[in-house]
Amino acid sequence: MIYKISSNEKLTKDVYKMTLEGDTSAITKPGQFINIKLEGKFLRRPISVYDYNDKNVTIIYKVVGEGTAQMSEMKAGKELDVLSGLGNGYDVSKSVNSVLIGGGVGIPPLYNLAKTLIKNGETPKVILGFNTKEEIFCVDEFKALGCETYVTTVDGSLGVKGFVTDVLKDLDYGYFFTCGPMPMFKAIEAIAKTSGQYSFEERMGCGFGACMGCSCKTKYGYKRICKDGPVLEREEIIW
């Protein structure tokens, strides 16, 4: 599917927000992702969906290598070959008094999740973790939704000093959804009081389950992060 870049703006030193115009009908759940083909690169770049409507999909990505650096230089009007609506997404039917926990570039998919939960009649609490205040993005957007929003920074430069778990341990909640790096996941797993869903970041080959390159072992057999995930339930994960 061909999409056209509507905007590509810088949010922090190395985090960008890109809006693409095109058919979004394949996106049906929060937590799904798109896979972008880049000129000169063999593998596509999987990027989680921040938000979408009938005509546009918005992503937030961090420059971590040549591919994302290439994306950061793209201008409005450029066309991209994009695979859309990939992955299983979050199952919101299990949500009750939920808290959303995001770390760094794991935060973007939680925004549309928050909007979906609110549409279903539940306003979640949100915990956003960063290393320092210079890296912070999207906090005002969650607050604008009406979410009770907590910010943590490792260096204490803004919000609670420490990690997302320093807020989570004292919070009242009935379910959790999270996306972020593995060390954060393991810290959450050590103190989480309820069931929940983890959205995993993983290197992918094809992005739609054909190459088996992102398979991981669960309590119920092997699953492909790109197709059977990226969201897995707490009860099925082998740490």
Side-chain angles (χ1 to χ4, degrees):
M1 186 74 68
I2 300 300
Y3 286 70
K4 182 183 290 186
I5 297 176
S6 300
S7 63
N8 191 22
E9 59 179 306
K10 191 173 187 177
L11 299 183
T12 71
K13 179 183 176 182
D14 51 12
V15 174
Y16 290 76
K17 181 179 181 180
M18 178 185 287
T19 298
L20 299 162
E21 181 181 344
D23 181 6
T24 63
S25 60
I27 305 172
T28 59
K29 285 185 176 182
Q32 290 182 297
F33 65 96
I34 63 174
N35 219 2
I36 303 173
K37 183 176 178 59
L38 300 175
E39 295 173 9
K41 300 292 185 289
F42 178 69
L43 296 179
R44 292 175 180 262
R45 265 47 183 187
I47 310 288
S48 59
V49 172
Y50 168 72
D51 202 11
Y52 69 99
N53 56 34
D54 292 342
K55 298 180 180 179
N56 302 286
V57 58
T58 301
I59 58 174
I60 291 178
Y61 62 96
K62 183 177 182 179
V63 174
V64 294
E66 291 182 6
T68 43
Q70 188 174 322
M71 287 174 58
S72 72
E73 299 295 328
M74 294 177 178
K75 307 299 182 185
K78 180 176 177 59
E79 293 186 338
L80 291 174
D81 181 334
V82 177
L83 298 177
S84 179
L86 302 179
N88 63 346
Y90 291 106
D91 180 357
V92 297
S93 70
K94 300 188 177 183
S95 179
V96 54
N97 185 26
S98 289
V99 57
L100 316 186
I101 313 159
V105 285
I107 289 169
L110 300 180
Y111 180 74
N112 186 254
L113 172 59
K115 288 180 68 175
T116 301
L117 291 172
I118 290 169
K119 193 178 298 183
N120 290 348
E122 177 192 354
T123 302
K125 302 177 183 71
V126 178
I127 309 173
L128 307 177
F130 305 89
N131 289 315
T132 181
K133 67 178 182 180
E134 285 76 24
E135 298 180 2
I136 289 176
F137 62 91
C138 286
V139 173
D140 290 340
E141 286 80 351
F142 280 99
K143 288 181 177 179
L145 294 178
C147 297
E148 185 178 323
T149 306
Y150 301 86
V151 175
T152 69
T153 50
V154 176
D155 65 0
S157 51
L158 190 71
V160 176
K161 182 177 182 178
F163 304 95
V164 294
T165 45
D166 291 308
V167 173
L168 184 66
K169 64 181 175 64
D170 298 320
L171 213 59
D172 175 48
Y173 61 96
Y175 198 84
F176 69 87
F177 298 91
T178 184
C179 185
M182 186 61 73
M184 185 188 86
F185 281 1
K186 291 184 176 179
I188 291 171
E189 182 63 19
I191 69 162
K193 307 167 189 173
T194 69
S195 183
Q197 296 171 37
Y198 293 85
S199 181
F200 285 83
E201 300 171 346
E202 183 64 68
R203 287 186 176 275
M204 299 176 186
C206 67
F208 49 84
C211 73
M212 308 299 288
C214 62
S215 295
C216 70
K217 189 176 183 180
T218 74
K219 293 178 182 177
Y220 309 114
Y222 282 91
K223 290 194 173 185
R224 298 158 293 181
I225 292 298
C226 70
K227 188 172 179 65
D228 306 311
V231 179
L232 299 177
E233 295 189 19
R234 184 183 189 187
E235 289 76 15
E236 66 183 311
I237 299 169
I238 298 174
W239 297 98

